[in-house]
Amino acid sequence: MPVMGDIDVRSDGTADHLTDEEEEYLLEDEEPTIRRTGTEIVDTEPTSFQGDWQAQQESINCQTFDLLALSPSERTAIKTAWSSFLENCRSLEAAGEAIYAALFDSAPGLQTLFKTPRAVMAMKFMVGLNTIMIEKLDDPAGLKDFVDTLGFQHLDIEVTAPRVDVFRDALLDLFAADLGENIFTTLARVTFGRIFNYVGGAFIYIRTNYARRLKILTSSWELANQKSSDRDERGSEEQPGSLEEKRQAKPQHQKKEDLQSPESSMEEGVKSNRNLGKQRVPTTFSDMFRFNAAVMGFADRKWMELVLEVFGTIVTHASNSTRLQEECDVLVLRMSKLPGKTDLREFKNIMLASLRSLLPRTWDGDCEVSWAWLWENVMRMLQATWGKPTKHEKALRRLYHSIEPEQLGAFRTGIYTTFFSKCVQGQDFFKQSTTRLHYIADRVIVMTEGVFSDPRKLMEELSALGLRHVGYGIPTELFGPFVTSCIEALREYLTTDDAAVEAFRWSLGLISRVLVRTITEGATIVMRAINANCGKLLRSAVRCAPRCERANWMVKVQVGTQSISPLLWALGSGSLEAAQAILVDLLTIRADRDNYYYAIDTLFQRHPDLVKKICQDAPALLCTLFDGMIWRSRQTENGLRRVNYYIRYLIVDAHGAFSESFREVVEHGDPKVICHPALVLASDLLWGGVAAVSYVTGKALFVLSLLIFVLTQSVFADHGASTPTSRITTFIGRILIYLLGMTPLLVRHVLLSISAFRSHDFTFVYWLPVPNYLCGRMQSTSAILCLSMVIMLSQEPILYCLGGGKDADDFSSIGQDCERAEDVLPAYTSLNLLVCLLYFLQLLDLAIFSARLSAFVLVCQRMLEEVAQFLLAMIFLLAAFSCGIASMNVANDHFDTIPNAALALMRIQLNMFSGEAYEHMAQEPKLQVAVSIFVIISTVFLLNILIAQLNCAYLGIFTDMFGLARLNRGRVTLEIMPSVSAKRWQRFIASLNFDEKLEFNEGDIGLSGGVQRLEAASAHPMATDSIRRYGGSTSPMAQWPEHGDEADQEDKLDRLEKTIQKAMKRMTKADKKRRTGSSMGSSSIGGGSSSSGSHSMNESE
């Protein structure tokens, strides 16, 4: 194989001057003679092709990467054969499929190296080969640049000489079978072999020798993004060793352009922007890049900001060709939306200047070469895609706007028909209805167009979609056949336009790469354990996590700009066993000699709405969560035990405001959960520290108005001959009743009703809109009280007598004993009774200060439902019997009409009927029989049923009565919290001292964020320490050793399970043997009986 010395090629395609040895370099007689004269490469025809073909096969040069120059006859043979091959295949796509099939038929094991969908990868094959065989064949320097870029893109693929042999032989055999000896001559075969050997050897050389450049990129990038103090310290420590290593491994040839620096540009920029030097010196790459861009006059380059956003990802994944190509494609898409021209070389100058400024101690020629090499390869990848997004977008838009409904339906169906034929196991993951599958097909169309219209938004959506597929457990192997099926369906049912098909292929290939990468990065061992819903697998998965990262493994999986929480996914998907294992692990306190590890801060900072999610998806895990907030000491002192309640996030959130976690628990309304010790303490602290004072203050006016009402309407009431003093007292008292009692209630309910109707927060009750805030007992009673007082004001006797008195000395004009008031007095006094009862009913709210009294009041309220049902039954009986008795035409005046009969039956039920009335009733037997039946049904039957119902209802509510009382107090607390001032709230939070660390035991300073209390030692006996303590290394990056108790418990369960399985197998085998033995025994017995019987008969004969 003809080779040349190292010829350095600039980005403009020209070569540097060769050395004298290279100019005189000649090849052997069997090979083409290549001589370099000046800058011209002269090729001469080879005299013969008598070299051994086996030697040609073995000539893969992995030691150098030089220019490949072919003679004119070789180039002609290659182009003729390649053009004939494309003509026979009729299209690049068909040719790619043929190459793909030939390669995998000869070496099926190579399929694992190709993760891109087959239809997309086939076109990549053809584009690369077509560029080599047609475009770059006459330009050795351009060919080397192109192969260098291809090798850079294949750094993550293990290209070896045997694999190159397989690839080359498969393609040569394909060409020979397709073209024949007339076209695929010996010269063409040898030349194709040399080209494939050259490309394969270049890939191996690049992977082997450029790995050191990648190492330099990684180390220098890490230093460039550290703080200045850390960078200087680490740089000074690493400088000698790293420089020595660089000197030892320094390559013999370096590109001259790589060693050049934009010093002149920097100096000019500094002269024109001296004022920028007075600013603070940037310490990170991004800040330094923007600083240098402004100095060099490139601050208005918007495209540089786009590159800067993803530059860290490009550097980090420089060795990952798939990820790097993905980032470059997305970057081109975003940059294509910006106006103006783009010169990518400008970024290189600023990049190198920034890195030199950040790494003055470690920067040398190797760093310069490595970073320039990286950007040149990235620049070539960007330029390869440059301009295509605009053309693709136009082609797709033109296609999608021309689709008919019939075509779209056929396309939807064709995707899955083709996909299921290519990949049968895909049917196990597409079990949804046909309409759902059609929706997915429509999303494919929308996303392929969205790639061009809004690439940034679509990339975020794809990241979120990929993370959801992680939870679904979708294998990434299905994406390739699915993408290929979509492309084939598009070509078959929608269009044959090559431009539209290529645009669809490119965009869908990018989408599939993003999804596959997201699923691959997001499919952690924790997510796999969650998909299996196995707590044991999850515990095994997190054992290998560093102790400082263990919590993050369970609450965050980050892919790009999107993240997913394994914990929330477990809750939402119903994997409650895995979710419980996560909560237990996160809320377990672990300790080494230096640090305590307790993930409650990580948990609630990552998921402030965690309690809400658990209430919605897994209420059974609430107690698990709250149990993890409590630590109890194993040691006791004077019969008391220390208990630390880490309830910071039940009271205050991360921003210092009132925590929504407590609100969610109260609104959840579970009386058993609210009685958890952690919630009891949090509720008592909120009530005693903030809510109680505000509640008393709010009820002070109500108590005052009640006191005035009782004094005015009951104590000093004078319904007879009024005196001037009583008139004045009554007048003043009633003014205060209406001002202090009625007016605040009226204003409050009017405002609340207006707000409810504006926000449509109401419910229709028999076509009457009722605000939802009236659903509670307190609010509804208050509204009825307000309405009753308004009606009482309308019937106020003083208003009727006002100004009617003749004598001013007796104040009769403000009295209520005038003639005009006589008609309203009965109604007014009845309203007095109703308002007084409602006042005292409202007074029951003050029972909230006592848990027992509040529980009793709530139990009574629950019992009222049973009493209401009894009263409805009684009303029904009264109506039925009163109508029946009135229709009998009895002579008794107590039962002659329906109202009289109903009144008499009610008096009988209440034992208010006189003895004389019973004697008169005895004179009419039929009346007596009817009344007796009524008494039996109402007293014997209904009353005993009421007693039974009350007993059963009380037994059902007794266990939850204290929980209901605490829920009631919690609701009151929530109503009060918005009115608490910020100053008072901060004073209350400061009094809890959440920032101070609590002691676990004497002298053992532990964790902050809690409140310490003492409880009786017998309340919760503790046999073991609830803190898991470990010896050994205290490094945060070390894994926690396997806990003995946990491992023993799991081993016991495993052994028990295996023992049960073995016992079941033995029992099954024994049962089968028993059945087989019994059947054989029966057959033997039967046969023996027959034989003996025959023998006996023979003897008798």
Side-chain angles (χ1 to χ4, degrees), residues 45 52 204 308 380 453 465 467 472 499 561 625 666 770 827 832 837 846 850 853 931 1008-1009:
E45 295 289 341
D52 186 19
I204 299 173
L308 197 59
R380 283 195 288 264
S453 60
L465 180 62
L467 288 174
Y472 301 149
T561 59
L625 173 66
V666 173
V770 178
N832 269 340
L837 293 177
L846 298 179
S850 172
L853 187 57
V931 172
S1008 62

mmCIF file of all heavy atoms in Angstrom, residues 45 52 204 308 380 453 465 467 472 499 561 625 666 770 827 832 837 846 850 853 931 1008-1009:
data_model
loop_
_atom_site.group_PDB
_atom_site.id
_atom_site.type_symbol
_atom_site.label_atom_id
_atom_site.label_comp_id
_atom_site.label_asym_id
_atom_site.label_seq_id
_atom_site.Cartn_x
_atom_site.Cartn_y
_atom_site.Cartn_z
ATOM 1 N N GLU A 45 1.680 5.548 -13.160
ATOM 2 C CA GLU A 45 0.994 4.268 -13.250
ATOM 3 C C GLU A 45 1.879 3.154 -12.722
ATOM 4 O O GLU A 45 3.091 3.137 -12.951
ATOM 5 C CB GLU A 45 0.631 3.975 -14.710
ATOM 6 C CG GLU A 45 -0.363 4.931 -15.295
ATOM 7 C CD GLU A 45 -1.732 4.725 -14.707
ATOM 8 O OE1 GLU A 45 -1.976 3.652 -14.148
ATOM 9 O OE2 GLU A 45 -2.565 5.639 -14.814
ATOM 10 N N ASP A 52 0.851 -10.022 -4.291
ATOM 11 C CA ASP A 52 -0.054 -11.026 -3.726
ATOM 12 C C ASP A 52 -1.272 -10.320 -3.120
ATOM 13 O O ASP A 52 -1.133 -9.367 -2.360
ATOM 14 C CB ASP A 52 0.686 -11.839 -2.668
ATOM 15 C CG ASP A 52 -0.149 -12.989 -2.142
ATOM 16 O OD1 ASP A 52 -1.120 -13.364 -2.825
ATOM 17 O OD2 ASP A 52 0.170 -13.490 -1.062
ATOM 18 N N ILE A 204 -8.173 3.079 13.575
ATOM 19 C CA ILE A 204 -7.429 2.449 14.681
ATOM 20 C C ILE A 204 -6.352 3.403 15.193
ATOM 21 O O ILE A 204 -6.147 3.540 16.405
ATOM 22 C CB ILE A 204 -6.814 1.122 14.200
ATOM 23 C CG1 ILE A 204 -7.920 0.154 13.766
ATOM 24 C CG2 ILE A 204 -5.961 0.505 15.300
ATOM 25 C CD1 ILE A 204 -7.400 -1.129 13.125
ATOM 26 N N LEU A 308 -21.767 28.244 23.482
ATOM 27 C CA LEU A 308 -21.279 28.241 24.862
ATOM 28 C C LEU A 308 -22.181 27.426 25.782
ATOM 29 O O LEU A 308 -21.710 26.812 26.744
ATOM 30 C CB LEU A 308 -21.171 29.684 25.359
ATOM 31 C CG LEU A 308 -20.315 29.927 26.601
ATOM 32 C CD1 LEU A 308 -18.891 29.478 26.353
ATOM 33 C CD2 LEU A 308 -20.356 31.400 26.981
ATOM 34 N N ARG A 380 -15.961 20.798 11.609
ATOM 35 C CA ARG A 380 -16.264 20.022 10.412
ATOM 36 C C ARG A 380 -17.609 19.316 10.531
ATOM 37 O O ARG A 380 -18.346 19.196 9.546
ATOM 38 C CB ARG A 380 -15.142 19.023 10.158
ATOM 39 C CG ARG A 380 -13.892 19.634 9.551
ATOM 40 C CD ARG A 380 -12.966 18.568 8.996
ATOM 41 N NE ARG A 380 -12.313 17.828 10.060
ATOM 42 C CZ ARG A 380 -11.098 18.093 10.526
ATOM 43 N NH1 ARG A 380 -10.417 19.109 10.015
ATOM 44 N NH2 ARG A 380 -10.570 17.353 11.476
ATOM 45 N N SER A 453 -38.883 23.764 13.669
ATOM 46 C CA SER A 453 -39.557 25.005 14.054
ATOM 47 C C SER A 453 -39.097 25.510 15.415
ATOM 48 O O SER A 453 -38.847 26.707 15.585
ATOM 49 C CB SER A 453 -41.077 24.788 14.057
ATOM 50 O OG SER A 453 -41.432 23.763 14.981
ATOM 51 N N LEU A 465 -40.005 12.929 27.594
ATOM 52 C CA LEU A 465 -40.618 11.718 27.038
ATOM 53 C C LEU A 465 -39.709 10.509 27.247
ATOM 54 O O LEU A 465 -40.177 9.416 27.594
ATOM 55 C CB LEU A 465 -40.898 11.932 25.549
ATOM 56 C CG LEU A 465 -41.545 10.754 24.795
ATOM 57 C CD1 LEU A 465 -42.912 10.448 25.372
ATOM 58 C CD2 LEU A 465 -41.643 11.067 23.307
ATOM 59 N N LEU A 467 -37.511 10.069 29.621
ATOM 60 C CA LEU A 467 -37.519 9.695 31.030
ATOM 61 C C LEU A 467 -38.796 8.948 31.397
ATOM 62 O O LEU A 467 -38.775 8.046 32.244
ATOM 63 C CB LEU A 467 -37.354 10.944 31.894
ATOM 64 C CG LEU A 467 -35.955 11.576 31.871
ATOM 65 C CD1 LEU A 467 -35.942 12.877 32.629
ATOM 66 C CD2 LEU A 467 -34.932 10.622 32.448
ATOM 67 N N TYR A 472 -41.454 3.228 31.885
ATOM 68 C CA TYR A 472 -42.232 2.188 31.217
ATOM 69 C C TYR A 472 -41.416 0.925 30.959
ATOM 70 O O TYR A 472 -41.985 -0.123 30.650
ATOM 71 C CB TYR A 472 -42.768 2.708 29.871
ATOM 72 C CG TYR A 472 -43.643 3.922 29.978
ATOM 73 C CD1 TYR A 472 -43.684 4.870 28.961
ATOM 74 C CD2 TYR A 472 -44.437 4.145 31.109
ATOM 75 C CE1 TYR A 472 -44.486 5.998 29.053
ATOM 76 C CE2 TYR A 472 -45.237 5.275 31.204
ATOM 77 C CZ TYR A 472 -45.251 6.189 30.183
ATOM 78 O OH TYR A 472 -46.039 7.306 30.275
ATOM 79 N N ALA A 499 -36.129 14.355 -1.362
ATOM 80 C CA ALA A 499 -35.814 15.434 -0.422
ATOM 81 C C ALA A 499 -36.676 15.318 0.841
ATOM 82 O O ALA A 499 -36.184 15.476 1.970
ATOM 83 C CB ALA A 499 -36.022 16.790 -1.083
ATOM 84 N N THR A 561 -31.507 18.694 30.342
ATOM 85 C CA THR A 561 -32.194 19.704 31.149
ATOM 86 C C THR A 561 -33.375 19.144 31.911
ATOM 87 O O THR A 561 -34.000 19.860 32.680
ATOM 88 C CB THR A 561 -32.686 20.848 30.238
ATOM 89 O OG1 THR A 561 -33.584 20.312 29.248
ATOM 90 C CG2 THR A 561 -31.525 21.515 29.528
ATOM 91 N N LEU A 625 -43.438 7.734 56.179
ATOM 92 C CA LEU A 625 -42.741 9.010 56.067
ATOM 93 C C LEU A 625 -42.575 9.661 57.434
ATOM 94 O O LEU A 625 -41.473 10.111 57.789
ATOM 95 C CB LEU A 625 -43.512 9.930 55.123
ATOM 96 C CG LEU A 625 -43.011 11.370 55.009
ATOM 97 C CD1 LEU A 625 -41.625 11.407 54.373
ATOM 98 C CD2 LEU A 625 -43.984 12.229 54.212
ATOM 99 N N VAL A 666 -53.848 17.822 56.736
ATOM 100 C CA VAL A 666 -55.152 18.197 57.302
ATOM 101 C C VAL A 666 -56.250 18.038 56.259
ATOM 102 O O VAL A 666 -57.320 17.491 56.542
ATOM 103 C CB VAL A 666 -55.097 19.641 57.841
ATOM 104 C CG1 VAL A 666 -56.488 20.105 58.267
ATOM 105 C CG2 VAL A 666 -54.140 19.730 59.015
ATOM 106 N N VAL A 770 -75.179 28.104 46.073
ATOM 107 C CA VAL A 770 -74.732 28.229 47.453
ATOM 108 C C VAL A 770 -73.207 28.233 47.449
ATOM 109 O O VAL A 770 -72.584 27.301 46.942
ATOM 110 C CB VAL A 770 -75.256 27.075 48.324
ATOM 111 C CG1 VAL A 770 -74.728 27.192 49.750
ATOM 112 C CG2 VAL A 770 -76.781 27.051 48.317
ATOM 113 N N ALA A 827 -93.281 37.563 67.100
ATOM 114 C CA ALA A 827 -92.243 37.115 66.159
ATOM 115 C C ALA A 827 -90.858 37.514 66.639
ATOM 116 O O ALA A 827 -89.879 36.751 66.519
ATOM 117 C CB ALA A 827 -92.517 37.701 64.772
ATOM 118 N N ASN A 832 -85.638 36.014 69.049
ATOM 119 C CA ASN A 832 -84.673 36.108 70.154
ATOM 120 C C ASN A 832 -84.218 34.729 70.603
ATOM 121 O O ASN A 832 -83.032 34.504 70.862
ATOM 122 C CB ASN A 832 -85.304 36.836 71.349
ATOM 123 C CG ASN A 832 -85.055 38.332 71.276
ATOM 124 O OD1 ASN A 832 -84.154 38.784 70.587
ATOM 125 N ND2 ASN A 832 -85.868 39.103 71.987
ATOM 126 N N LEU A 837 -79.965 30.673 70.738
ATOM 127 C CA LEU A 837 -79.489 29.302 70.551
ATOM 128 C C LEU A 837 -78.323 29.248 69.567
ATOM 129 O O LEU A 837 -77.352 28.505 69.771
ATOM 130 C CB LEU A 837 -80.639 28.418 70.059
ATOM 131 C CG LEU A 837 -81.782 28.187 71.055
ATOM 132 C CD1 LEU A 837 -82.880 27.358 70.420
ATOM 133 C CD2 LEU A 837 -81.273 27.513 72.325
ATOM 134 N N LEU A 846 -65.310 27.236 70.965
ATOM 135 C CA LEU A 846 -64.250 27.430 71.948
ATOM 136 C C LEU A 846 -63.819 26.135 72.605
ATOM 137 O O LEU A 846 -62.819 26.114 73.327
ATOM 138 C CB LEU A 846 -64.715 28.420 73.021
ATOM 139 C CG LEU A 846 -65.035 29.842 72.511
ATOM 140 C CD1 LEU A 846 -65.514 30.709 73.664
ATOM 141 C CD2 LEU A 846 -63.817 30.457 71.853
ATOM 142 N N SER A 850 -59.644 22.361 74.306
ATOM 143 C CA SER A 850 -59.512 21.085 75.003
ATOM 144 C C SER A 850 -59.759 19.958 74.006
ATOM 145 O O SER A 850 -60.817 19.911 73.374
ATOM 146 C CB SER A 850 -60.513 21.001 76.163
ATOM 147 O OG SER A 850 -60.519 19.711 76.716
ATOM 148 N N LEU A 853 -62.790 17.744 75.172
ATOM 149 C CA LEU A 853 -64.074 18.424 75.003
ATOM 150 C C LEU A 853 -64.404 18.600 73.527
ATOM 151 O O LEU A 853 -65.553 18.413 73.108
ATOM 152 C CB LEU A 853 -64.028 19.786 75.702
ATOM 153 C CG LEU A 853 -65.350 20.572 75.766
ATOM 154 C CD1 LEU A 853 -66.430 19.747 76.456
ATOM 155 C CD2 LEU A 853 -65.144 21.904 76.470
ATOM 156 N N VAL A 931 -104.318 5.093 68.163
ATOM 157 C CA VAL A 931 -103.282 5.743 68.970
ATOM 158 C C VAL A 931 -102.312 4.706 69.531
ATOM 159 O O VAL A 931 -101.103 4.923 69.608
ATOM 160 C CB VAL A 931 -103.931 6.570 70.096
ATOM 161 C CG1 VAL A 931 -102.867 7.087 71.055
ATOM 162 C CG2 VAL A 931 -104.723 7.727 69.517
ATOM 163 N N SER A 1008 -29.526 18.977 62.867
ATOM 164 C CA SER A 1008 -30.422 20.113 63.089
ATOM 165 C C SER A 1008 -31.757 19.867 62.402
ATOM 166 O O SER A 1008 -31.931 18.893 61.676
ATOM 167 C CB SER A 1008 -29.782 21.392 62.559
ATOM 168 O OG SER A 1008 -29.566 21.286 61.162
ATOM 169 N N GLY A 1009 -32.669 20.815 62.637
ATOM 170 C CA GLY A 1009 -33.968 20.738 61.971
ATOM 171 C C GLY A 1009 -35.043 20.058 62.780
ATOM 172 O O GLY A 1009 -36.064 19.659 62.216
#
